[in-house]
Amino acid sequence: MAPAAMTFASSLSDAQPVSYWLDDPAKPGALPALTGDEHCDLLVVGGGYSGLWTALLAKERDPGRNVVLIEGREVGWAASGRNGGFCAASLTHGLGNGLARWPGDMAKLEELGGRNLDAIEAAVATYSIDCDFERTGEIDVATEPHQVEELREMYEEATQLGFTGLELLDQDAVRAEVNSPTFLGGLWDRRGVAMLHPAKLAWGLKQACLDLGVRIYENTRGQQLAASGTGMAVRTPYGRVFARQVALGTNVFPSLVKRVRAYTVPVYDYALMTEPLSPEQLAAIGWKRRQGLGDSANQFHYFRITADHRILWGGYDAIYPYGGRVSAEMDHRPETYLKLADHFFRCFPQLEGLRFSHAWGGAIDTCSRFSAFFGTAHGGKVAYAAGYTGLGVGATRFGADVMLDLLSGQQTERTELEMVRSKPLPFPPEPVAWAGIGLTKWALARADANGGRRNVWLKAMDRLGLGFDS
């Protein structure tokens, strides 16, 4: 191993192979599993953000509604407890993706996204959820010359469309915010993103649901969905739940509505967390306004500073397992941790000697349009939302509202959106999916190394509306 690689490896030698967020003494104990039969008005399947927001909003809309939530493991153990804690207003995986797909609806989508983030902030206060919520905004940083121009074009397009809250930063301005020799410019969304502790948000939503009367069963996996009389029945390992309606918030895990499964693939994402920075190390990087950051490459990094002055550094690699298999053995990938450590010290060479305390991974539900899709099944008695592609911390609350709208059978400002009424293109079966995703990842890496120029394959994928995001 080369000396530099040895240095990066040594920075990982004490890293615990577990999500920093979940490695917390505040983690609540698991609730009992369901045994026997349950009956309710609404069954929510999945105890991540999607399911938790659905159960909470269902009770807010109708306090008398009888709501049950089942979770296959423990609330927040999957993506909701492993992500970067970026809670974004965007419902479309960024302005550029939204404009490319739903230009006629973008003004409404931006408005709804802003209202959704405001509602999350309000819920955190209303239910006294201690999750380190900070409305800091996020800076997209340019680390290559062509990215500077791309950020300028995005800023000008957004300004022409009347979108506010964005500030274009030159090299000196972005380095005054966060000091990295790799930063050449930035685009700061001042109000559109909040930073938070993702696991504590999930645990807080769990308690809020319990306080409103939702019955939650953990270690209770939904195994089969079928019609039962005028409602639905879901079989679990030790019982059944009979419900008038069902909302599916299973996201990366195989949907109980089988036809939905082709629309998502699991992509494994990995992150590192540093030990707490000393006052001298904090002074060396600045970062006093604690914004979230992400670089502008196709294979991008996301990074943020925590309430206890650590740096989370994640992204870049996006690993698709052949056949779309979700398994615990994919949760850790030492070769990716080593790569991320290398990239971290290139970004912040002044932090040489800093060590990582935690290293972990997890699966994201990705769809070909990078943002959630929605639908119903079984004559409107079942609703689903999936495909958030990494922006589920904020967008799942919007998705919960959509699912409840769809189950109500009423037309709303949300159900009228083309984004809600349309579906992404499904992924092809294996081995075509494996080959296509591999080729796309290779092409994205080539584009990053070639001034952002997209080759014939990527241009063809753009025309088809297909993509694969790192």
Side-chain angles (χ1 to χ4, degrees):
M1 187 180 290
M6 285 289 291
T7 300
F8 305 141
S10 66
S11 71
L12 293 161
S13 61
D14 296 324
Q16 297 297 305
V18 63
S19 166
Y20 166 77
W21 311 116
L22 296 174
D23 187 22
D24 192 306
K27 180 182 177 182
L31 296 170
L34 172 66
T35 56
D37 290 349
E38 256 282 23
H39 296 80
C40 59
D41 298 323
L42 174 67
L43 170 64
V44 180
V45 182
Y49 298 137
S50 187
L52 291 165
W53 280 118
T54 303
L56 184 68
L57 293 175
K59 292 295 283 186
E60 287 184 347
R61 290 186 182 199
D62 180 2
R65 187 181 303 188
N66 187 342
V67 180
V68 168
L69 182 150
I70 61 173
E71 160 56 39
R73 293 280 293 272
E74 294 181 32
V75 161
W77 79 276
S80 298
R82 303 173 189 233
N83 63 81
F86 288 63
C87 187
S90 177
L91 305 174
T92 60
H93 212 280
L95 183 61
N97 189 52
L99 286 170
R101 299 182 187 280
W102 307 290
D105 281 347
M106 267 314 291
K108 188 64 175 178
L109 285 164
E110 288 287 295
E111 176 199 341
L112 289 169
R115 282 162 45 190
N116 183 65
L117 182 55
D118 289 343
I120 293 172
E121 185 172 17
V124 166
T126 298
Y127 295 106
S128 301
I129 299 175
D130 180 15
C131 64
D132 304 330
F133 188 98
E134 298 179 272
R135 196 83 173 253
T136 59
E138 179 180 6
I139 302 176
D140 289 330
V141 296
T143 58
E144 297 290 343
H146 72 272
Q147 295 168 9
V148 175
E149 184 57 33
E150 289 170 357
L151 291 179
R152 181 180 301 280
E153 290 173 358
M154 180 57 64
Y155 172 76
E156 292 174 350
E157 185 172 15
T159 302
Q160 291 170 2
L161 293 170
F163 299 129
T164 60
L166 299 178
E167 181 178 348
L168 192 64
L169 306 175
D170 63 16
Q171 181 172 316
D172 291 339
V174 71
R175 292 187 184 178
E177 295 297 328
V178 184
N179 183 21
S180 168
T182 67
F183 293 174
L184 304 179
L187 184 59
W188 184 3
D189 181 351
R190 284 184 167 269
R191 291 283 298 168
V193 183
M195 297 291 107
L196 52 76
H197 186 304
K200 286 184 177 180
L201 174 62
W203 300 334
L205 290 173
K206 172 184 175 180
Q207 187 59 52
C209 286
L210 292 170
D211 291 343
L212 292 182
V214 177
R215 299 192 301 287
I216 297 176
Y217 298 95
E218 294 181 286
N219 294 304
T220 301
R221 185 169 65 89
Q223 295 177 319
Q224 188 175 33
L225 173 71
S228 177
T230 59
M232 302 299 300
V234 171
R235 183 166 56 83
T236 70
Y238 308 122
R240 295 172 297 176
V241 185
F242 296 92
R244 289 196 308 109
Q245 296 177 320
V246 177
L248 301 177
T250 51
N251 296 302
V252 76
F253 300 99
S255 177
L256 293 178
V257 177
K258 291 183 179 179
R259 69 171 184 268
V260 176
R261 296 177 184 178
Y263 290 106
T264 63
V265 295
V267 173
Y268 277 83
D269 178 58
Y270 299 91
L272 306 177
M273 185 71 83
T274 74
E275 62 189 359
L277 273 65
S278 68
E280 293 76 19
Q281 289 169 325
L282 286 169
I285 60 172
W287 217 340
K288 294 179 180 179
R289 292 195 255 200
R290 305 174 56 79
Q291 307 96 325
L293 282 89
D295 62 53
S296 301
N298 291 307
Q299 292 184 286
F300 64 91
H301 306 87
Y302 55 87
F303 40 118
R304 49 81 56 97
I305 195 162
T306 67
D308 57 350
H309 308 304
R310 302 168 183 262
I311 296 175
L312 177 143
W313 179 268
Y316 193 79
D317 271 349
I319 306 302
Y320 168 68
Y322 184 86
R325 184 170 54 94
V326 178
S327 65
E329 66 189 51
M330 291 290 297
D331 286 348
H332 299 288
R333 197 166 189 265
E335 58 266 46
T336 292
Y337 299 151
L338 192 63
K339 188 183 300 181
L340 287 173
D342 176 3
H343 296 173
F344 176 88
F345 289 111
R346 290 186 193 182
C347 183
F348 295 119
Q350 64 269 51
L351 297 181
E352 182 180 357
L354 190 66
R355 300 176 72 82
F356 297 101
S357 64
H358 295 76
W360 71 94
I364 295 170
D365 61 323
T366 297
C367 73
S368 62
R369 71 185 193 187
F370 303 151
S371 51
F373 62 92
F374 316 90
T376 60
H378 292 276
K381 289 179 285 191
V382 176
Y384 57 83
Y388 290 95
T389 317
L391 283 191
V393 181
T396 44
R397 186 193 175 280
F398 173 81
D401 262 330
V402 171
M403 283 196 284
L404 293 172
D405 288 350
L406 293 172
L407 290 172
S408 77
Q410 298 177 350
Q411 191 173 47
T412 70
E413 60 182 345
R414 288 176 289 266
T415 62
E416 291 176 346
L417 294 166
E418 184 183 352
M419 175 187 177
V420 172
R421 293 185 287 106
S422 64
K423 294 283 193 300
L425 288 173
F427 289 94
E430 298 292 11
V432 179
W434 169 263
I437 289 171
L439 180 57
T440 301
K441 286 181 61 180
W442 172 82
L444 289 171
R446 286 292 299 267
D448 284 337
N450 196 30
R453 289 185 286 276
R454 299 172 75 82
N455 65 12
V456 173
W457 175 260
L458 290 180
K459 290 177 181 178
M461 293 298 99
D462 292 340
R463 287 193 297 272
L464 291 172
L466 283 166
F468 183 80
D469 194 37
S470 73

